[in-house]
């Protein structure tokens, strides 16, 4: 999958044309709803960055393990990572909502 992201082929078109494309477009719509944004492009850019933090963890697993000084992720590590991602998403969406309402 990562290879297809780096150098898309016909396989990527099939993948994106199915569930993946539907999912990321739906996430963009959720960003609009959560923030009150009317600008779809801005919401889609936010979607890319929100997905990026999760994809980065998956694609840089070895770096994550080294940084955490682990051979494998413990259940507590996974819970902490999920909590950080949740907090990051909340902060990003709250900031975007404030910007949209002219409060930033």
């Amino acid at each position: 999958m990562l290879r297809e992201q780096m150098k898309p082929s016909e396989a990527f078109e099939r993948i994106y044309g199915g569930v993946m494309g539907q999912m990321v477009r739906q996430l963009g719509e959720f960003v609009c709803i959560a923030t009150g944004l009317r600008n779809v492009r801005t919401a889609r850019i936010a979607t890319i960055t929100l997905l990026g933090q999760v994809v980065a963890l998956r694609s840089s697993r070895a770096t994550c393990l080294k940084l955490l000084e682990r051979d494998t992720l413990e259940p507590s590590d996974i819970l902490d990572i999920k909590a950080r991602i949740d907090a990051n998403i909340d902060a990003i969406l709250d900031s975007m909502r404030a910007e949209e309402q002219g409060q930033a």
Side-chain angles (χ1 to χ4, degrees):
M1 192 63 153
L2 187 57
R3 185 188 77 233
E4 286 298 323
Q5 291 290 328
M6 300 297 292
K7 192 173 180 179
S9 70
E10 288 180 34
F12 176 78
E13 293 302 323
R14 285 192 302 272
I15 293 166
Y16 190 84
V19 174
M20 177 191 243
Q22 293 171 6
M23 180 192 72
V24 294
R25 284 189 299 276
Q26 185 67 55
L27 286 173
E29 290 177 27
F30 288 154
V31 169
C32 286
I33 292 166
T35 61
L37 274 173
R38 291 178 291 278
N39 186 318
V40 173
R41 182 176 183 275
T42 299
R44 287 181 176 176
I45 289 170
T47 301
I48 292 166
T49 64
L50 293 169
L51 288 172
Q53 66 183 324
V54 176
V55 172
L57 287 166
R58 294 292 295 160
S59 65
S60 60
R61 182 174 176 80
T63 300
C64 294
L65 291 172
K66 285 287 189 187
L67 185 60
L68 293 173
E69 299 175 343
R70 301 265 197 227
D71 292 325
T72 187
L73 291 177
E74 301 292 328
S76 63
D77 297 322
I78 294 168
L79 287 174
D80 290 343
I81 290 168
K82 286 180 178 182
R84 173 51 30 210
I85 291 170
D86 287 347
N88 289 352
I89 290 170
D90 286 346
I92 290 166
L93 295 177
D94 288 347
S95 174
M96 292 176 70
R97 188 179 308 109
E99 288 172 7
E100 185 65 16
Q101 295 172 355
Q103 299 171 359

